[in-house]
Amino acid sequence: MILYFQKELECEPPDQRRERQSERLRQTVRRAYERVPLYRRKLSSAGLNPDDIRGIEDITKLPFTVKDDFRAEYPFGLFAEPLDNVIRLHASSGTTGKPTVVGYTRADIDLWADCCARLLACGGGTAKDVLQVAYGYGLFTGGLGLHYGGERLGATVIPMSGGNTKKQLMLMQDFGTTLLACTPSYALQIAEVAHEEGMDLRLLKLKAGFFGAEPWTEEMRRQIEMRLGLKALDIYGLSEVIGPGVAGECLEQAGLHVFEDHFYPEIIDPKTCRPVPDGTYGELVLTCLTRETIPLLRYRTRDITKMDSAPCPCGRTFRRIARLSGRTDDMLIIRGVNVFPSQIESVLMRIEHVEPNYLIVVDRTGVMADLEIKVEVNERLFSDEIRKLESLRSRIAADVYSVLGLHAKITLVEPRTLERAAGKVQRVVFVDRKA
Ligand code: DLL
């Protein structure tokens, strides 16, 4: 069954959509120029005024916005609306310093709810479903984003938030949850606790899961689908742009449809800043075409993906981006070799007896960085002979070497010993030289 939430927009012919995008871009650029001093400065120094932007094809003339612009304009400098009109604030934590602050007018909240309802409908969700939201509620956009989306769709929403896994399981069973929304790593944790409790999630009513907010791989998807007995769908978004609801997979599971009537995507080469052709990996750049509070222009997300403009059997005409393969700033350089954590995850998840929990430790105390991978092995193997453990360790080391061309120290650890998180999991830690 093919389900649309807003068929006339989601299946709009591309030419008609371009006209809509062009009109919206003209308006956004004008608002940004007139209301946000940073944009007036950026456009002026690029020798542009709003009349120079006549259509979506002119988007490449516009200057980029970067994370540092949010920091410099902290907290409300990028807002095109007075606080009187802003009914909600969210913020992304970031690792250092002040958070990135975003605001929403009533119309922004409305648009966000539509986009999150689309995500759910893309994954087969309807008003008949029971949606358990296990993303964190609060300043993080995951919880409230999916919550409003679920209500907009007419589903029955359980605002569970992250954590308290045993209770998650109880409600899932008692309330007949059909849709689950959380980070992929938390989905696995739910499965793990279910297993400990002797509960088989595959016997529940779970139908689809909406997983995002952190990188994951196809191999991880298979693990999740097997353990939870549902269709695992990838959803993408970021607070600077709106939160979840920027892009999501349909039941084809063949890339994430970008809701480009609201968020215009470009893929650029992060070094030259020039657009790359479809099918080539690069940095995703997003422009908000309809957002009132922050008319964000060409935001450099640092997320790496590629574009696919081929028609999708689901009928949606939104172009698709590939699963996010990492961030320009989470690439590790170890002994001169570029390493993305997702490459390591893919290798590990293909090996039998390895649990989907691992930690990458980059030790920078020596002259050259060293790579250690801590991997949880399953119960059965751990209680087995040392010989078997040793052969698993060498197998992982050999597979990592064949993919990365790099020798990594592999440490096998007991099941359930690596830290678990209810939200975004941290897969990489650094051990640094003391200052
Ligand atoms: O993580 C919004 C979100 C909530 C998305 C719930 C999906 C589901 P931030 O905290 O601002 O917002 O973090 C945004 O998370 O730039 C990516 O690097 C990463 N990210 C988000 N979704 C995915 C995904 C939310 N599906 C940052 N795959 C983004 C890989 C993702 N990385």
Side-chain angles (χ1 to χ4, degrees):
M1 184 177 32
I2 291 173
L3 294 162
Y4 304 104
F5 172 65
Q6 295 172 313
K7 185 168 186 208
E8 63 300 347
L9 294 169
E10 297 182 52
C11 304
E12 189 173 36
D15 287 351
Q16 203 174 309
R17 178 165 303 131
R18 274 184 89 74
E19 266 174 47
R20 187 187 299 279
Q21 290 166 330
S22 293
E23 174 58 28
R24 290 177 169 182
L25 181 67
R26 283 193 292 271
Q27 281 173 13
T28 298
V29 171
R30 183 161 300 284
R31 286 183 83 246
Y33 183 83
E34 286 170 359
R35 298 184 179 208
V36 182
L38 173 88
Y39 279 128
R40 181 179 287 258
R41 288 200 300 277
K42 275 185 187 266
L43 269 91
S44 302
S45 54
L48 289 171
N49 77 59
D51 294 330
D52 295 323
I53 305 302
R54 284 185 299 266
I56 199 74
E57 61 286 355
D58 290 328
I59 197 164
T60 52
K61 294 181 182 164
L62 291 169
F64 293 106
T65 311
V66 293
K67 183 108 179 168
D68 276 342
D69 292 322
F70 276 87
R71 293 209 183 95
E73 298 297 319
Y74 177 84
F76 308 135
L78 280 171
F79 288 15
E81 292 287 335
L83 278 192
D84 287 6
N85 298 341
V86 174
I87 63 163
R88 174 99 66 81
L89 296 175
H90 279 280
S92 81
S93 44
T95 40
T96 49
K98 301 275 192 191
T100 304
V101 182
V102 287
Y104 304 73
T105 60
R106 199 169 293 283
D108 290 335
I109 293 285
D110 217 42
L111 141 79
W112 190 21
D114 272 352
C115 291
C116 287
R118 274 186 191 175
L119 284 181
L120 298 167
C122 262
T126 68
K128 290 194 168 62
D129 279 299
V130 178
L131 168 70
Q132 186 157 332
V133 181
Y135 283 113
Y137 281 63
L139 287 176
F140 174 57
T141 50
L144 283 166
L146 269 300
H147 181 108
Y148 275 60
E151 289 188 351
R152 174 63 48 97
L153 193 65
T156 308
V157 179
I158 311 173
M160 183 55 207
S161 197
N164 209 344
T165 312
K166 285 189 186 161
K167 190 161 180 187
Q168 301 268 5
L169 289 168
M170 183 180 83
L171 300 189
M172 213 173 259
Q173 191 159 33
D174 296 349
F175 295 175
T177 300
T178 54
L179 309 177
L180 173 66
C182 62
T183 58
S185 56
Y186 190 56
L188 283 167
Q189 199 184 324
I190 292 178
E192 186 174 72
V193 176
H195 181 71
E196 283 165 17
E197 299 289 302
M199 186 172 164
D200 187 348
L201 290 177
R202 292 169 303 181
L203 302 177
L204 302 190
K205 291 194 178 151
L206 288 172
K207 192 169 89 178
F210 299 85
F211 305 123
E214 65 186 16
W216 55 313
T217 54
E218 278 307 308
E219 290 76 11
M220 191 66 96
R221 162 152 45 209
R222 276 199 286 281
Q223 291 284 338
I224 294 177
E225 293 194 329
M226 198 175 67
R227 292 170 190 226
L228 282 91
L230 47 62
K231 193 131 182 162
L233 302 161
D234 195 358
I235 64 170
Y236 168 79
L238 62 168
S239 27
E240 293 90 319
V241 170
I242 197 144
V246 174
E249 280 183 328
C250 63
L251 293 167
E252 300 292 326
Q253 296 178 310
L256 293 79
H257 288 284
V258 183
F259 300 151
E260 52 177 322
D261 48 346
H262 297 297
F263 314 108
Y264 188 81
E266 299 168 80
I267 312 275
I268 62 163
D269 175 331
K271 292 209 184 75
T272 62
C273 296
R274 292 240 179 73
V276 299
D278 274 13
T280 304
Y281 276 96
E283 179 180 349
L284 176 66
V285 171
L286 290 166
T287 297
C288 295
L289 297 175
T290 46
R291 216 154 136 214
E292 284 187 344
T293 310
I294 305 184
L296 194 62
L297 303 180
R298 302 192 85 200
Y299 183 65
R300 292 190 59 171
T301 64
R302 301 192 200 172
D303 291 317
I304 301 168
T305 184
K306 60 181 179 180
M307 185 66 76
D308 179 359
S309 303
C312 181
C314 81
R316 289 179 183 80
T317 51
F318 293 131
R319 289 176 292 164
R320 284 167 289 166
I321 50 171
R323 174 186 288 288
L324 288 291
S325 63
R327 290 175 56 81
T328 52
D329 50 2
D330 71 13
M331 185 179 78
L332 306 166
I333 303 181
I334 296 165
R335 296 178 182 258
V337 179
N338 297 347
V339 177
F340 280 104
S342 59
Q343 292 175 295
I344 296 178
E345 180 174 303
S346 294
V347 171
L348 296 178
M349 294 303 100
R350 275 186 232 131
I351 302 176
E352 210 192 339
H353 302 305
V354 165
E355 287 292 299
N357 294 299
Y358 62 93
L359 184 69
I360 298 166
V361 183
V362 183
D363 184 340
R364 298 192 287 210
T365 47
V367 182
M368 298 256 236
D370 280 316
L371 178 66
E372 179 186 2
I373 307 170
K374 295 188 177 176
V375 186
E376 278 185 18
V377 287
N378 68 26
E379 203 105 26
R380 245 177 317 132
L381 195 76
F382 213 82
S383 52
D384 228 317
E385 304 155 44
I386 299 278
R387 193 169 44 83
K388 284 199 183 144
L389 284 175
E390 188 46 40
S391 97
L392 177 65
R393 215 184 51 73
S394 336
R395 157 93 200 274
I396 298 175
D399 284 8
V400 168
Y401 183 79
S402 78
V403 170
L404 303 179
L406 198 67
H407 292 289
K409 178 179 171 200
I410 308 296
T411 310
L412 302 181
V413 301
E414 282 186 57
R416 292 183 295 282
T417 46
L418 296 175
E419 208 179 303
R420 303 287 192 268
K424 298 188 191 236
V425 67
Q426 197 182 353
R427 300 269 192 213
V428 184
V429 295
F430 295 94
V431 183
D432 276 304
R433 211 168 292 155
K434 292 216 173 60

